[in-house]
Amino acid sequence: MSRILILDDNTINQIAAGEVVERPASIIKELVENSIDALCTSITIEIEDGGLRYIRVTDNGIGMSHGDALKSLERHATSKIVSSNDLNNIVTLGFRGEALASIAAVTKMEIITREKDSISGSQIINHGGDLVSNKEIGCPEGTTIIVRDLFFNVPARLKFVKSFRAETAHISRLVEKLILGNPKISFRYINNGRIVYYSPGDGQLKNSIFSVYGRDIIDHILPVHPIGDSRSISLSGFLGKPAIARKNRIGQSFFVNHRFIKSGLIEASIESAYKTYLTANLFPWVILNINIAPNKIDVNIHPAKTEIRFKDEKAVSEFIRQQIGSVLAGTPYIPALGKDSFKPHIGKNDKDQCDDMEEGYQVEAFSSISSEESITDDVTGQSADPKKEVGKAESPSKIFLEEEPTKAYIASPIEDPENGINRAKETEFELRDSYQKENATSHYKVIGRIFTTYIIVERDSECFLIDQHAAHERILFEKYKNMFSNQAIITQRLLPPIIVEVTHGEQLILNESMNLFQSLGFEIDSFGGRTYAIRGTPVVLGVSNPKAFFHGLLDDVDSFTQGSNYELMIEDIIRMSCKKAVKAGDILTNAEVYALLDALMEDRIPLTCPHGRPIMISLTKTELEKMFKRIQ
Amino acid sequence: MKFTCFQKKLSDSIIIAQKAITPRTTLPILEGILMTTYKGVLKLVGTDLNLGIECFLEANIIEEGAVVVPSRIFGDIIRKMPNSMIEVEVDSNYRISIKTENSHFTIQGVKPDEYPELKYVEERDPIEIQQNLLKEMIQNTIFAVATDETRPILTGALFEVKEDNINIVCLDGYRLALKRGMVANNKNISVIIPGKTLSEVSRIIDNSDDKISITVDEKHVLFDMGYIRIVSRLLVGEFLNYTQIIPQEHKTRIRADIGTLYDAIERASLLAREGKNNLIKLTLKEDRLIINSNSEVGAAHEEVPITLEGNEMTIAFNSRYFMDILKAVGDEEVCIDFTTNVSPCVFRPEDGDNFTYLLLPVRTSV
C-alpha cells in the first residue's frame, strides 16, 4: 500500500499560508508590497475588526490584465523574477510568487484590477482557493484587493489569532513602518471607518515621520545625510536625540532598499554608536534607510522577508556605526524640561499613536557657545538687539526643519544672504560645524546657582540648568581621553610572560589580527599549539591588566572600532581618573563657573556625562509661558 | 567567665588579633574575636579562615569560660578606656559587661562553640630567625607581590630555606624581588606564603634580635613568637623557577649612588605622574645617567653621575616600579645591569648577593 501521497494544491497552499499568513498584518504586508512593486503613488489600507473580517488594499499602480489576475492566484506565479539568476539581484519587494495564492487559500478574496490601457477591468472572487466568480467590470486603474473572513476555512488557526485590538495594533505598527519606508507613496490608513494615518507621499521622509509620530518629534531628530561610498552602501534617515530614547526598540525602524527589516546587526551597530549618549536600558529612536547594492544582500531567508543577510556584515556594521557616530558627535544634545515633569496630570492620554512621543522632552536644536565672543560682551549685548539675536539663533533651525534634509540643508545657508556673510569663510568646515558656530556666537549669561549644584544660564529665549559635577566630569573625561589618544603606545614587558590558551576559532582571529594586537601595544608569541605567551601589555594611563585587555580585544577584534569592548574598557579606566571633578554641593566662585562653562561650550564635547546622564536641561521662554498659561 | 586585666595589654592584643579579621565577611561569627581563659592567661583569636592569629596575655582570671566578642566595637571600647584595670564579665547568655572605675558597658557576645578552630601545626623542627631580619626581608620584597589574581600563585611569596640561606622571592610579572638572609639552620624548605600573611607578620613582629620560629607542614605555616602565634594556609602550586629568569650576563653595568638616583627619579616622576603614564626614559652615557620625562605639563631633564661599563643605551621604565626597588635597596651602593632596552635590568649589591631585583622595561612606540 502506498503511504506517501502527493498533496493537492489546496493543501499545499494552506501549508504555505502558515508561513506567509501568520496574522492579518502579514496579509497587509504582502498586499502593500505588491502595490509598491506595481509602482503606485498612493495606497489605501482599510481594515475592520483588526483585519479579521475585512481588509482592503487599493493602489493606483499598473494593474493586471485579466489573464494575469487569474494566474496571480496560482502558486509560484510572479511577474517579479523570471529565472533563478534574478534571485541575486532582487529589486522588488516580492519575488516568491506565493503570497496571493497563500492568502487566497485561507480567506475570501476579491481582486478588482485594471491596467492603464485597458478599457475595462476584471473582478475575481475566490473563496479558500476556489474560484467563485470571474467577470469583466468597470473600475479605476490600479488594483484593489479585498480580503474577508480570514481563516474561515481553517478554524484551528483562527484560535491563535489574538483579539481585535491586538491585531489592530499589529497592523498599525506595520503601516507605520510602511509609511516611513515609502515617503514617495501617499498612504491612507483607515480603521473601522476612521482615518488613522495619512501621509502626503511627497518624497520627504520628514513628512512621513510627521504623519506617524506627530509634530513634537520633528524637533528631536537629526538628519542622516546620504553619503556615497565605494562599498556601494549609503545611509539616510533620521536619528532621535537621546531625549526621546525609549525603554524598548519600538522606535527603531530599519529599511534596506525600502524593505522593512528586523536586524540584530543593525540594532547593535546603532546602539553602540549611541552608547555614551544614553543611560542603561534606553534604546535610541532611529529611522534608517540603508541603500545597498542588491547583490550584497540575501532576502530569500524566510517567506516573510523581514530577515536579511548581508554578504559583508562586518563592513555594514562598521559603516553604520561610523556614520551614526559622526552625526551624533557633530551635534550636542540638551534634554529639555519635560512638560510632564512639571505638570504630570495635565497631558491627557488619548489612545493616539503619537502618545508616547508627547511624553518625551522638548529638545531645542542647541549649539555651542564659542570662546570667540567674550563674556563681557554679552552683558551689554544681551539687551542691545534681542530680536536680532533670536532671529540669528533660530535661522539655522528653520533651515533644519523646513528644507529637504539632504542637499537643501547644505545649500541654503550659502544662499541665505543674511547668514551667508558669516558662513562664507567657514566653508572648509563641515556644515554642521558652521551650524554650531553660528549659534556659538550667541550670548549667554550666568544667572546664578541653585542648591550649590546647578548653574542657571540664560541665552536668548532659553535657559539652561547645568549640573556642575556632570559637566566637569565630562570635561575631564574628554581631556584624559585626548591625553591617552595623543600618548605614544606604551608596552610594559612582562616576566614571566602570561600564557593564555585560546580556542581554535580565537586562534584564527588572533593570527589574522596579530598586527592589530601589536599596534595597540601587545607583544604576543606563539607558545605551541593553541597557547600564546603575552610578553608585553599595553599600559593605559598607568593601568595595565594584561589578561583582561587581551580577552577584551580578542572578543571583539572583529568589530574593533570606536565603541568596542576594548575601547570601553579603556574608557572605564579613563573614567576612573575623573575623580577630581567638582562635586554637587561644592561651592564655586563666579570665575570658576565661567571657566567651567567656557570649557563646556567648546566644540565636540558631548552633553552627557561619561556615565550617560545629561549635563544640562533646557527650558525655553515659550515653555515657561505655556506653564504660566500666558500662551496656549 | 570573668577576668581583670590592664587596659593597655588587652587593647594591644586585640589590635593584633584584629589583623586576621576581614572587614567583609558573609559569616558573622568571623567578625568576632574568640576570647578564652586558661590558668592565668587570656587567649584572643581572630581569623578569616586563611589566616589565624592567637594572642596570649596575662590576666587575673576569676572565673573560666569562653565567648566570641564583636571585634570592632569591643576593640573600640577597650581602646578608649583609661589605662587602668578593666573587669570583663560574661554571663550565661553571653552578655559581656566591661567595667572600669567610672565606666560600665554591656554588649552582646556570641556562643563560642561555632567559632572555627585554628589549624594545629605541630612544632617539629622549626626554623629560627631573628625577628628584625625577617621583618627587613619581608619589607624589602613584599612590594613586588602580585595584587591581581591573574596568576594566583604570584599573590604569594616564595619562602625558601636552603641549608643556611633563607630567601624570600616576590614576583608580579613586572619585577622580581629577591632577598637573602643567613641563618644557621641546615634545612631545606620551599613554600609559598600568601602575601597578606607575610605583610601582617612583618607588622606584628618586633625590631629586635628575638627569635621567631617558623614551622611548615604541607598546607600551613606557623609563626610562633611565644605569646603570639600566626597560622596561615600556604598557597599550593609551583612557584616560578626564578633563578632561570635572572639574567646572568649583561652588556652594560652602571654604578650609582642610590640616594642621588632616587631623588632624581622622584623629581622626574612628578611630571611623569601628571601624564598618567609614569614613564621615565633613561639614557646611559659614559659618565652620567640622563633621566627624561614629559607630559603636557612640561618636561624634566635630570642628570646623575654614574660609572658605566659596556655599551651606552636608552631604556624606559615605569618610574614607580623603579623607585620601589631603589627604596628597598636602601642606602647601599648598587650595580644595575642592562642587556637590551627590552630585556630586564638587574639590581645587585656592589658586594655579595644579599639581594637581587629585576625590573622589566617598557617600550614606547616612538
Side-chain angles (χ1 to χ4, degrees), chain A residues 32 40 62 148 165 171 235 243 256 275 279 317 334 370 392 410 421 469 474 537 542 547 562 593 616 625 631:
Chain A
V32 171
C40 67
I62 54 176
R148 289 189 175 90
R165 244 182 81 189
I171 294 170
L235 301 183
V256 170
K275 195 97 193 171
T279 38
S317 154
I334 300 175
S370 86
K392 203 171 161 195
I410 296 168
I421 307 153
H469 170 66
R474 171 55 86 175
T537 170
K547 234 177 167 172
Q562 285 270 327
V593 169
M616 54 173 93
E625 284 172 338
I631 57 174

Side-chain angles (χ1 to χ4, degrees), chain A residues 203-224:
Chain A
Q204 308 252 0
L205 178 56
K206 191 162 236 167
N207 288 330
S208 303
I209 294 174
F210 184 97
S211 308
V212 174
Y213 288 104
R215 215 212 83 82
D216 273 3
I217 207 147
I218 298 294
D219 296 340
H220 300 195
I221 56 178
L222 304 165
V224 179

Side-chain angles (χ1 to χ4, degrees), chain A residues 152-385:
Chain A
F152 77 98
N153 56 349
V154 206
R157 301 262 324 174
L158 200 54
K159 284 184 197 149
F160 290 95
V161 173
K162 300 224 172 76
S163 67
F164 291 168
R165 244 182 81 189
E167 294 303 339
T168 307
H170 262 107
I171 294 170
S172 301
R173 220 164 295 147
L174 169 76
V175 173
E176 288 163 17
K177 306 291 182 199
L178 290 168
I179 293 175
L180 295 172
N182 298 284
K184 286 191 181 144
I185 297 173
S186 169
F187 282 89
R188 197 182 295 271
Y189 170 48
I190 304 164
N191 178 23
N192 290 337
R194 216 184 105 215
I195 291 194
V196 181
Y197 290 136
Y198 168 75
S199 75
D202 55 4
Q204 308 252 0
L205 178 56
K206 191 162 236 167
N207 288 330
S208 303
I209 294 174
F210 184 97
S211 308
V212 174
Y213 288 104
R215 215 212 83 82
D216 273 3
I217 207 147
I218 298 294
D219 296 340
H220 300 195
I221 56 178
L222 304 165
V224 179
H225 304 300
I227 300 161
D229 185 80
S230 55
R231 277 172 291 191
S232 53
I233 168 171
S234 74
L235 301 183
S236 62
F238 287 89
L239 305 181
K241 294 181 187 175
I244 56 166
R246 304 300 235 18
K247 284 263 196 277
N248 55 34
R249 296 200 174 85
I250 227 163
Q252 300 184 352
S253 313
F254 311 128
F255 304 90
V256 170
N257 298 344
H258 296 280
R259 181 195 304 282
F260 169 66
I261 55 141
K262 294 173 183 149
S263 163
L265 178 81
I266 300 176
E267 280 168 12
S269 316
I270 290 176
E271 281 156 23
S272 87
Y274 265 93
K275 195 97 193 171
T276 60
Y277 299 99
L278 292 178
T279 38
N281 300 325
L282 281 179
F283 298 95
W285 183 100
V286 171
I287 291 177
L288 201 61
N289 265 309
I290 300 162
N291 277 311
I292 187 166
N295 61 3
K296 304 262 186 207
I297 50 170
D298 184 2
V299 288
N300 193 9
I301 292 168
H302 186 269
K305 287 171 289 194
T306 50
E307 279 171 57
I308 194 166
R309 212 163 276 156
F310 293 99
K311 294 247 158 73
D312 189 353
E313 296 196 338
K314 204 169 134 185
V316 171
S317 154
E318 198 164 314
F319 181 75
I320 294 173
R321 199 183 344 235
Q322 277 173 5
Q323 294 301 322
I324 293 187
S326 74
V327 172
L328 292 173
T331 314
Y333 309 96
I334 300 175
L337 278 177
K339 303 176 236 173
D340 295 349
S341 65
F342 266 77
K343 308 185 290 183
H345 302 298
I346 288 183
K348 273 199 200 104
N349 286 348
D350 359 36
K351 299 276 170 276
D352 213 353
Q353 287 298 330
C354 17
D355 232 5
D356 316 3
M357 289 306 150
E358 283 176 348
E359 282 172 25
Y361 303 109
Q362 286 281 337
V363 172
E364 295 306 311
F366 177 67
S367 61
S368 304
I369 295 173
S370 86
S371 42
E372 284 166 25
E373 191 132 345
S374 72
I375 300 150
T376 41
D377 262 49
D378 356 315
V379 185
T380 49
Q382 185 69 27
S383 54
D385 193 348

Side-chain angles (χ1 to χ4, degrees), chain B residues 14-213:
Chain B
I14 291 170
I15 289 169
I16 289 170
Q18 278 176 336
K19 290 190 191 300
I21 295 174
T22 49
R24 282 175 299 278
T25 170
T26 52
L27 198 57
I29 196 141
L30 293 183
E31 289 165 6
I33 291 176
L34 174 66
M35 217 159 54
T36 320
T37 58
Y38 297 91
K39 287 188 186 80
V41 178
L42 177 65
K43 183 177 83 168
L44 304 181
V45 182
T47 182
D48 67 358
L49 298 181
N50 283 317
L51 172 66
I53 300 177
E54 291 177 334
C55 256
F56 299 88
L57 69 150
E58 282 172 37
N60 177 23
I61 310 295
I62 298 157
E63 188 195 329
E64 300 220 347
V67 66
V68 175
V69 299
S71 151
R72 201 173 49 82
I73 186 68
F74 185 70
D76 288 352
I77 293 170
I78 301 296
R79 199 152 40 86
K80 299 286 182 196
M81 291 290 187
N83 188 6
S84 62
M85 217 42 145
I86 295 181
E87 183 195 283
V88 178
E89 188 175 358
V90 181
D91 69 14
S92 57
N93 290 323
Y94 302 103
R95 241 210 306 273
I96 305 158
S97 118
I98 306 155
K99 269 188 214 157
T100 63
E101 204 182 337
N102 299 315
S103 326
H104 184 195
F105 281 77
T106 10
I107 56 174
Q108 185 61 49
V110 180
K111 199 156 79 167
D113 307 17
E114 284 166 25
Y115 200 83
E117 257 177 69
L118 292 198
K119 166 76 187 171
Y120 174 73
V121 180
E122 196 182 342
E123 280 189 73
R124 254 197 337 220
D125 224 5
I127 301 144
E128 308 253 302
I129 180 170
Q130 295 99 311
Q131 296 192 11
N132 53 2
L133 174 60
L134 181 63
K135 193 174 178 116
E136 188 205 330
M137 287 179 70
I138 295 174
Q139 284 174 346
N140 287 341
T141 49
I142 200 75
F143 65 85
V145 94
T147 47
D148 69 277
E149 293 282 333
T150 314
R151 288 170 289 186
I153 207 78
L154 297 184
T155 62
L158 180 68
F159 182 80
E160 217 180 21
V161 181
K162 279 186 192 160
E163 298 185 348
D164 291 342
N165 275 318
I166 293 188
N167 296 337
I168 295 180
V169 185
C170 296
L171 169 62
D172 69 358
Y174 312 126
R175 61 257 169 100
L176 174 147
L178 161 61
K179 189 87 182 170
R180 294 188 180 84
M182 295 286 284
V183 176
N185 265 305
N186 206 11
K187 297 200 181 58
N188 263 310
I189 289 173
S190 174
V191 292
I192 304 159
I193 302 173
K196 175 174 190 284
T197 302
L198 273 193
S199 68
E200 296 303 346
V201 167
S202 79
R203 273 176 217 150
I204 291 168
I205 59 182
D206 299 328
N207 238 332
S208 70
D209 283 350
D210 294 348
K211 293 273 175 78
I212 177 169
S213 81

Side-chain angles (χ1 to χ4, degrees), chain B residues 191 216-220 234-236:
Chain B
V191 292
V216 296
D217 64 14
E218 290 87 64
K219 288 184 177 163
H220 294 85
L234 294 172
L235 293 179
V236 184

Side-chain angles (χ1 to χ4, degrees), chain A residues 26-44:
Chain A
S26 10
I27 295 181
I28 293 180
K29 177 172 183 295
E30 295 298 337
L31 296 181
V32 171
E33 284 185 353
N34 281 342
S35 297
I36 295 169
D37 285 343
L39 310 175
C40 67
T41 58
S42 88
I43 300 177
T44 302

